[in-house]
């Protein structure tokens, strides 16, 4: 793992993984707290790397410190959960399998789990690429599905940063680093989304919108032709962010509809985009059409047929569409269905004040 000033999390991470590995390698990139001391207390071999605004370079340096045949990589704010003590028997001996996907769950946010490539062979053919969103590559190309497998014996819990620390990290490291990458001409669509999110967390709305506008300009030829870009990394989330900004902040409904329509063609079971379509139709005065999309969100959640490789807030297929249905039925003067929808919303979150108020309004009118 690579670390910097992680004394708050590191002990939990190392305690979870130490009984299950042959060696611990911690690469420090400039800590000023007790991070290095804690790592050594757990028997980790500590190496030092001079930070150079390049996560892939740091990861590859860490790989070079490892002596074993397989590498498990974690972040300090994560915890390894071993569901099956004999998990090593799942690791295939054949040379074709290069890496394994592990399920990662964020315990601090209500988002869906995601699969992440964290266990891989120690071979020169596997290296990280990407200065910010580093990803594992096989011979300079994406590791194809034929060379990867799912590993069910291990899971990762991600605790993340407290909001205060996240904001501090964003201001002090992420935004300047991402802007330097932007100036270098190496900015991907995913990095534009990341920078936009960072600006939003820093209450810099105009700067966030400029990132989304740049992403939209790059995507415009694909939106017009219907041919998705080659790199689809988090494309569904990028399209949602652009469409949400067009609807919520710019009120450009026509362009938002184009983004949403293409997004649903490419990712028909991604609940945030389905919900966005409902919001757009609701705003444009088509309540029956909006109802169908909100119902679809709820159905995706009930059936579990939603797009599962892209994490998102579960409320997109529970609380929010249920509440929006309540509002729509109120508008249609169908108090019975509105009350049913508000009650459904409260079954997901009993303390959700807007649904409580909607239900009270109906009960007051009928009482």
């Amino acid at each position: 793992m690579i670390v910097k000033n992680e004394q708050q999390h590191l002990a939990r991470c190392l305690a979870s993984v130490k009984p299950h590995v042959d060696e611990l390698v911690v690469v420090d990139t400039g800590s000023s707290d007790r991070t290095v001391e804690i790592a050594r207390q757990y028997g980790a071999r500590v190496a030092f790397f001079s930070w150079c605004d390049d996560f892939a370079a740091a990861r590859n340096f860490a790989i070079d410190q490892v002596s074993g045949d397989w590498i498990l990589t974690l972040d300090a704010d994560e915890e390894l959960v071993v569901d099956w003590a004999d998990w090593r028997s799942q690791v295939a001996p054949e040379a074709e399998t290069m890496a394994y996907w592990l399920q990662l769950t964020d315990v601090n946010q209500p988002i869906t789990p995601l699969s992440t490539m964290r266990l891989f062979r120690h071979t020169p053919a596997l290296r990280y690429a990407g200065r910010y969103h580093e990803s594992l590559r096989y011979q300079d190309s994406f590791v194809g599905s034929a060379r990867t497998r799912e590993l069910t014996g291990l899971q990762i819990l991600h605790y993340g940063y407290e909001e205060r620390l996240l904001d501090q990290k964003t201001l002090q490291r992420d935004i300047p680093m991402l802007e330097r990458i932007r100036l270098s001409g190496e900015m991907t669509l995913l990095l534009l989304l990341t920078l936009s999110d960072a600006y939003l967390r820093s209450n810099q709305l105009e700067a966030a919108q400029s990132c989304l506008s740049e992403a939209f300009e790059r995507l415009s030829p694909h939106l017009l032709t219907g041919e998705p870009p080659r790199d689809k990394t988090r494309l569904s989330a990028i399209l949602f962010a652009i469409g949400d900004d067009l609807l919520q902040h710019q009120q450009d409904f026509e362009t938002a509809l184009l983004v949403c329509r293409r997004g649903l063609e490419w990712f028909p079971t991604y609940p945030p985009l389905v919900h966005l379509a409902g919001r757009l139709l609701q705003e444009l005065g088509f309540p029956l059409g909006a109802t169908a999309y909100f119902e679809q969100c709820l159905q995706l959640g009930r059936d579990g047929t939603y797009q599962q490789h892209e994490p998102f807030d579960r409320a997109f297929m529970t609380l929010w569409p249920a509440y929006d249905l309540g509002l729509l039925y109120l508008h249609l003067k169908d108090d019975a269905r509105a009350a049913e929808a508000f009650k459904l919303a409260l079954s997901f979150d009993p303390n959700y004040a807007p649904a409580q108020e909607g239900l009270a309004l109906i009960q007051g009118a009928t009482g």
Side-chain angles (χ1 to χ4, degrees), residues 9-227:
H9 302 287
L10 186 58
R12 177 182 56 214
C13 178
L14 294 178
S16 73
V17 72
K18 183 177 173 63
H20 308 289
V21 297
D22 300 319
E23 64 176 344
L24 293 171
V25 175
V26 174
V27 172
D28 187 82
T29 62
S31 294
S32 57
D33 62 2
R34 296 181 55 247
T35 293
V36 172
E37 176 189 343
I38 293 170
R40 286 174 172 157
Q41 286 175 354
Y42 280 87
R45 180 153 47 87
V46 179
F48 297 92
F49 179 81
S50 297
W51 183 245
C52 58
D53 280 359
D54 192 327
F55 281 97
R59 295 281 187 199
N60 290 330
F61 176 82
I63 288 176
D64 293 338
Q65 314 309 308
V66 174
S67 62
D69 295 330
W70 288 87
I71 297 173
L72 173 67
T73 180
L74 295 173
D75 289 334
D77 58 354
E78 296 173 345
E79 179 181 3
L80 185 70
V81 177
V82 179
D83 296 322
W84 185 22
D86 193 26
W87 63 270
R88 292 186 185 221
S89 65
Q90 289 184 288
V91 179
E94 64 269 15
E96 290 78 10
T97 302
M98 290 285 109
Y100 286 87
W101 297 93
L102 277 63
Q103 180 175 286
L104 183 147
T105 301
D106 194 316
V107 298
N108 287 335
Q109 299 183 38
I111 62 174
T112 55
L114 71 150
S115 293
T116 177
M117 196 181 299
R118 296 297 191 89
L119 180 66
F120 54 92
R121 288 187 185 275
H122 187 191
T123 168
L126 285 172
R127 305 290 284 182
Y128 281 96
R131 289 170 60 183
Y132 188 88
H133 287 297
E134 73 278 19
S135 61
L136 200 61
R137 303 294 179 92
Y138 176 70
Q139 296 178 343
D140 295 327
S141 299
F142 289 107
V143 186
S145 58
R147 297 185 179 275
T148 64
R149 293 186 181 185
E150 296 282 342
L151 186 66
T152 58
L154 300 178
Q155 295 186 53
I156 299 172
L157 298 180
H158 176 230
Y159 290 87
Y161 291 84
E162 295 177 1
E163 197 65 33
R164 178 181 59 82
L165 295 177
L166 179 61
D167 289 343
Q168 185 181 40
K169 185 184 74 167
T170 298
L171 289 169
Q172 294 182 354
R173 188 201 70 186
D174 289 18
I175 289 178
M177 178 180 174
L178 287 165
E179 283 293 2
R180 286 192 290 271
I181 296 174
R182 194 180 190 181
L183 288 173
S184 72
E186 301 175 19
M187 206 66 168
T188 64
L189 289 171
L190 178 56
L191 288 178
L192 283 170
L193 174 65
T194 303
L195 182 56
S196 174
D197 288 342
Y199 277 128
L200 280 176
R201 291 198 300 269
S202 304
N203 297 315
Q204 300 181 60
L205 179 59
E206 187 174 338
Q209 288 178 323
S210 75
C211 297
L212 294 177
S213 295
E214 184 176 338
F216 173 75
E217 290 300 321
R218 292 196 196 181
L219 280 170
S220 290
H222 302 281
L223 295 171
L224 292 173
T225 64
E227 184 68 26

